[in-house]
Amino acid sequence: MTVNYPEVWDLDTLFPGGSESQELRLHMNEAVTKLSAFEELVHNFKVPAAKEDAQKVADLLEQMSGVMRHLSQSGAFIGCLMAQNTQDKKAGILESEASSLSARFQNSFQKIQQDLSKTEDGAWTELLKEESLREFTFILNEWREEAKMLLSEKEESLITALGVDGYHSWSQLYDMLVGEINVTVSVDGESKSLSVGQANNLSSHKDAAVRKESYEKLEEAWTDKEEFFAKTLNSIAGFRLETYKKRGWDNPLQEPLHINRMKQETLDAMWGAISSNKQPFVDYLDQKGKLLGKDGLDWYDVDAPVTESTQQFSYQEGAEFILKQFGKFGPELEQFAQQAFEKGWIEAEDRPNKRPGGFCTGLPLSEESRIFMTYSGSMSNVATLAHELGHAFHTYALRPVHSLNRSYAMNVAETASTFAEMIVADAAVKNAQSKEEKIALLEDKVQRNVAFFMNIHSRFLFETRFYEERKKGVVPASRLNELMEQAQTEGFAGGLASTHPHFWASKLHFYITYVPFYNFPYTFGYLFSLSVYAKALEEGSGFEEKYLALLRDTAVMSAEDLAMKHLGEDITQQAFWEKGIALCVQDAEEFISLTSAEA
Ligand SMILES: [Zn+2]
């Protein structure tokens, strides 16, 4: 007998009663007590000077991890409340309470980092040899290195304070500018006034005239305000470069590479491999243009559907499909996912007042995860569900690891999720009921490759060149347009009939102040996980144990060491990246051959 999996998640096992929960209230009060005690300890903490101080450092770390787990537990829970019902006002209040607690925690954390950087090198080496600290070697060294890259405590705190209005508020101004834009587009014979987000969603509309008009109206709007956007972008980059200069960093990539724990050579090898393998994707773009009855593909047709996937799966069918495919990879992934379905870890119901999109969040004290999405029965929903289960499996894999050793960077964050999604997406293509269905599923995969290898590459090229020019002075809107067009021509290897000059104004990612170069980690994560996937296909069912070991190490070593230790691969070499790309090339070629007869 098959059990029916619940479509609504169970949050009551965490804290009963939602945003009115008494248990949650008590938990938050306890968080304040724990945090205050930690702040006190940090305040009185003395810079460790000899190996005898190891125990004191270990105690501090233990207390720190306790506070972190406590805060994450409530933070994640409140995030779930906010997502399941955007009208939950009480949850909104709890959220601001939680975020002010985590800001307090961050302050103490920075103080600790600074203190640890003051220990003499010799004493530091001795300290790390002590049993009580050995498992934290990687993160402790990283904290210390980070603190050393910075200016003095006083100067850094001045930068942070000035950054609120002088830096981050440019990013908020950007949101305000974009929020003011409305464009009028005629959709299905009706003239509609649309926000930027709504107009962007029309990029995959089945009517070519709608796609073209929404693109053109948006481009007009960006042009209209281009000087404001140019001012904003120049100010953000200017603040960043000036800070870097004071800290003595001359490469704008230094910070993003450090955050992602990877080397410049690795990044160069990745883009190098991508650049020399673009032709199959250019051929795909050409073919797509033909399918749309055009000579060459325009920017605004990149997301156009060539055929529609019509296959529908009930939630139960989707879940069973995922479990079956996971089972072919390994028993632990299958059992884990089954438990997530059975125990109500997943919120999938299609109902009003839910936030759009999907996420997976971990609850460290309960050692559970919760997955949020809206399931409406398409194959792409099934893939999203598998993706989020992959994230949850990553958290599960990290359970035996100390909680301070679980913070992985953005570039490896998508490894387990993309991996799980790939298992399901590949199986879906193989199981397709018709040729049309197969084409639609394949296209979905190839479109993603175009995004990672071409679109994101062009963003990276643009940003790198823009920063170089910005060092010499303000870069006017007209020049930003030129730089963007050049970057797109190169990124898409000349595969498009037209470019999008104001893309730099339209893409929020360029204006995120908290994360510099919000682009290459996506491509890295995707290709890295493809290589892990290629390895899994090669090694068969015995691979799962190795896979779990890799996931466990994602937060305690550099990207280079991780790949060397678990895959035996040198990721500073192009040859590594080419293996993942080869899998994508197969999809592009299959798409072209399946659609050739029809073009
Ligand atoms: Zn993800």
Side-chain angles (χ1 to χ4, degrees), residues 9 23 118 138 163 176 209 239 244 247 290 299-300 305 347 360 372 430 440 451 463-464 467 482 521 538 563 593:
W9 60 16
E23 276 83 348
K118 290 175 193 150
F138 180 80
M176 282 171 71
F239 187 97
Y244 290 171
R247 289 178 184 154
K290 281 184 204 148
W299 178 279
Y300 49 80
E347 170 55 56
C360 171
F372 178 88
K430 288 198 188 91
E463 217 167 12
T464 313
Y467 270 89
E482 272 172 30
E538 232 172 79
S593 89

Side-chain angles (χ1 to χ4, degrees), residues 358-360 387-388 391 413-415 417-418 421:
F359 65 79
C360 171
H387 178 105
E388 301 306 340
H391 278 303
E414 294 300 336
T415 303
S417 54
T418 313
E421 192 179 339

Side-chain angles (χ1 to χ4, degrees), residues 440-460:
L441 292 168
L442 267 175
E443 224 235 330
D444 201 55
K445 292 181 81 187
V446 185
Q447 267 183 325
R448 252 187 302 162
N449 301 331
V450 169
F452 287 122
F453 302 159
M454 297 173 134
N455 188 325
I456 292 183
H457 192 200
S458 70
R459 298 180 205 177
F460 174 79

